[in-house]
Amino acid sequence: MRTLLVSGLALFAMFFGAGNLILPTMIGVNAGEAAWVAAFGFLITGVALPALSMIAYSTKRAGEPHIGGRIGRHLGPLLVLLVFLSCGMLYGIPRVAAVSFEMSVAPVLGEGANVVLAQALFLAVFFAIAFLAVLRPNQLVNRIGLGLTPVLMLLLVALIIGAFQVAPAGHPVTADFQAAPVATGVIQGYFTMDAIAAIVFGGVIYSAMEADGRHGASLRRGMAGAAAVAAGMLALVYLGLVRVGMVGAGDNGAAVLSNVAKQLFGSNGQLVFGLIVSLACLTTVLGLLGASTQYFHRIFPQVSTRVWLVVHVLVAFALANLGLTKILAVVAPLNQLLYPVAICLVLVALLEMGLGRKLTWAYYLPAWVSAVLAVLEALNSTGLAVFAPLRTFLNFFPLGAYQVAWLVPALVALVVGLVLDFRSNPEVLADEPVRLNDDLTTPVSA
């Protein structure tokens, strides 16, 4: 139970980054009277899907480097590589670090301050702390779960309870939330990137469960329990932050949260807000660094995890110094590209676990179909005029107007894949115990 609880706390903290602060808060601001309805859609992709992704990860088989390989010999490793690069040193880590500076330090700098120098100094300290914390990956879950998460939760609870003592500001509903509040909430949940990040964090929690002596069905139950703890905490915090947005005001989520903190805690409000942001960002970066360095060490074992950690920190530090605006410019295309394929992988892995038999075409066909449409959706989301006609084509598909043109074709492909598998592949899954190698990510026969 201790391992399950600590792993759940750590998983919550790894999921909960700065974007997780901003997105539900802005639902409270932009959805007006439809805020709670929109929040339901947000919980689908921001809470339920990441939890299911963790459970799906627990189905990893003996000798299988990663569950992503089930969607194809080429597409699977490509998806996993893109996930680790996007959630890791090329986007996720520098984005979170840059957000930490923009939301906690930048607001208190004076008019004559050298912002570029201040950002470089802050990021140097931020990444130095992260580097030292990840040097011993076997202690990472305990450090996050027992050390940082309780402090983060206390600060968040104080902010949320205070927000429930203030009357809603009566924000008007924006056009997107007025037309389709649930669908818009679902899309906002995409931007947490947590369903994708679960593919990254899965190895960290998996190794903690394995070190606790869990194998097979016991390991899967442990992963499900940790996912349930994290999901419950995420849902409560998200709903609380929606309420914060309903009572606050500002041009963006950071301003809204900062203003509410100042309203509730006076001159110490910015300090409280800065601590929340810094802790949320640090715990996420620790999880991403730990998982990503282990992944690249497994691919290139001749390079030690410590060297990979140095590479990750240096690359992320350089990119974070470009500033938040430039980093965020790539978020929409990345999400539209990776999420559909990742969702297909997760849902089929869960279906396979429920059916108790090995699936092949049920993995391949939905993933390939969704990948083709995801590429088109990602190109359209860049906003470049040359790709604008793709919107007309994508809208021909059911739900295409809601940016999920891939969904119905992928479901049709899943049905076809299941028919093919049941006709050609009678293999029943064995509940084989597995253990992990020293790199904490590669399972081998027990």
Side-chain angles (χ1 to χ4, degrees):
M1 288 300 297
R2 180 186 182 278
T3 301
L4 187 149
L5 181 59
V6 172
S7 297
L9 291 171
L11 184 58
F12 161 79
M14 287 188 284
F15 278 142
F16 194 81
N20 307 71
L21 275 167
I22 294 173
L23 291 166
T25 301
M26 290 311 295
I27 287 177
V29 174
N30 294 327
E33 295 179 353
W36 297 119
V37 178
F40 173 75
F42 184 82
L43 294 182
I44 294 173
T45 45
V47 175
L49 194 56
L52 292 174
S53 296
M54 292 300 299
I55 297 172
Y57 192 98
S58 71
T59 67
K60 192 166 63 169
R61 306 164 188 150
E64 185 177 50
H66 199 283
I67 66 170
R70 299 177 192 177
I71 63 175
R73 187 173 59 181
H74 301 295
L75 180 59
L78 177 61
L79 171 68
V80 175
L81 177 62
L82 289 175
V83 165
F84 273 91
L85 286 175
S86 64
C87 290
M89 58 182 164
L90 295 187
Y91 173 68
I93 295 173
R95 182 195 73 160
V96 171
V99 167
S100 181
F101 171 78
E102 292 282 351
M103 294 174 65
S104 62
V105 177
V108 300
L109 294 177
E111 292 185 3
N114 187 329
V115 177
V116 174
L117 178 60
Q119 178 177 260
L121 291 174
F122 172 85
L123 292 174
V125 174
F126 182 92
F127 280 113
I129 294 172
F131 176 82
L132 293 174
V134 182
L135 273 178
R136 294 183 179 180
N138 58 324
Q139 295 296 319
L140 189 58
V141 170
N142 281 333
R143 286 173 179 169
I144 297 174
L146 294 178
L148 298 177
T149 306
V151 180
L152 174 60
M153 281 302 299
L154 284 174
L155 294 170
L156 285 170
V157 168
L159 180 66
I160 290 168
I161 290 177
F164 273 94
Q165 311 305 312
V166 181
H171 299 297
V173 185
T174 59
D176 289 344
F177 284 103
Q178 180 73 52
V182 174
T184 305
V186 167
I187 297 298
Q188 291 300 307
Y190 273 11
F191 296 129
T192 66
M193 296 187 74
D194 284 343
I196 298 175
I199 297 176
V200 178
F201 296 144
V204 178
I205 304 302
Y206 191 104
S207 61
M209 292 293 166
E210 197 271 347
D212 193 46
R214 294 176 178 268
H215 304 286
S218 174
L219 187 147
R220 289 194 290 274
R221 287 194 298 270
M223 291 280 281
V229 171
M233 294 174 66
L234 284 172
L236 291 174
V237 170
Y238 286 155
L239 293 174
L241 289 173
V242 170
R243 173 68 181 195
V244 172
M246 293 170 69
V247 306
D251 296 333
N252 54 63
V256 172
L257 287 164
S258 179
N259 291 337
V260 172
K262 290 175 183 176
Q263 180 183 354
L264 296 174
F265 305 111
S267 58
N268 294 322
Q270 182 59 43
L271 175 61
V272 172
F273 174 63
L275 285 172
I276 291 174
V277 172
S278 298
L279 282 172
C281 292
L282 181 61
T283 53
T284 299
V285 165
L286 293 183
L288 292 174
L289 276 176
S292 188
T293 53
Q294 297 293 340
Y295 167 76
F296 281 98
H297 172 63
R298 179 174 59 79
I299 296 178
F300 304 102
Q302 65 273 24
V303 181
S304 69
T305 53
R306 180 165 295 192
V307 171
W308 276 119
L309 180 58
V310 171
V311 170
H312 276 67
V313 167
L314 291 178
V315 171
F317 174 76
L319 292 175
N321 274 285
L322 295 177
L324 186 58
T325 302
K326 292 181 179 179
I327 295 172
L328 290 179
V330 299
V331 64
L334 272 175
N335 283 328
Q336 298 287 11
L337 177 64
L338 297 176
Y339 250 85
V341 184
I343 290 172
C344 290
L345 171 63
V346 167
L347 294 183
V348 177
L350 294 171
L351 181 62
E352 181 183 61
M353 184 170 62
L355 293 174
R357 61 188 299 159
K358 188 175 182 180
L359 301 177
T360 302
W361 288 105
Y363 279 108
Y364 290 170
L365 297 183
W368 296 342
V369 168
S370 63
V372 171
L373 293 173
V375 169
L376 301 180
E377 196 72 69
L379 292 174
N380 177 255
S381 67
T382 62
L384 298 176
V386 67
F387 299 126
L390 291 176
R391 184 75 270 152
T392 302
F393 171 73
L394 291 167
N395 287 349
F396 279 122
F397 292 90
L399 304 177
Y402 299 107
Q403 301 177 43
V404 284
W406 60 273
L407 182 57
V408 173
L411 289 174
V412 173
L414 173 60
V415 173
V416 174
L418 287 172
V419 171
L420 293 174
D421 281 330
F422 273 78
R423 284 185 174 182
S424 62
N425 187 10
E427 182 178 351
V428 177
L429 289 174
D431 189 19
E432 181 180 0
V434 298
R435 65 177 176 82
L436 297 179
N437 280 329
D438 292 338
D439 66 1
L440 303 181
T441 57
T442 307
V444 296
S445 298

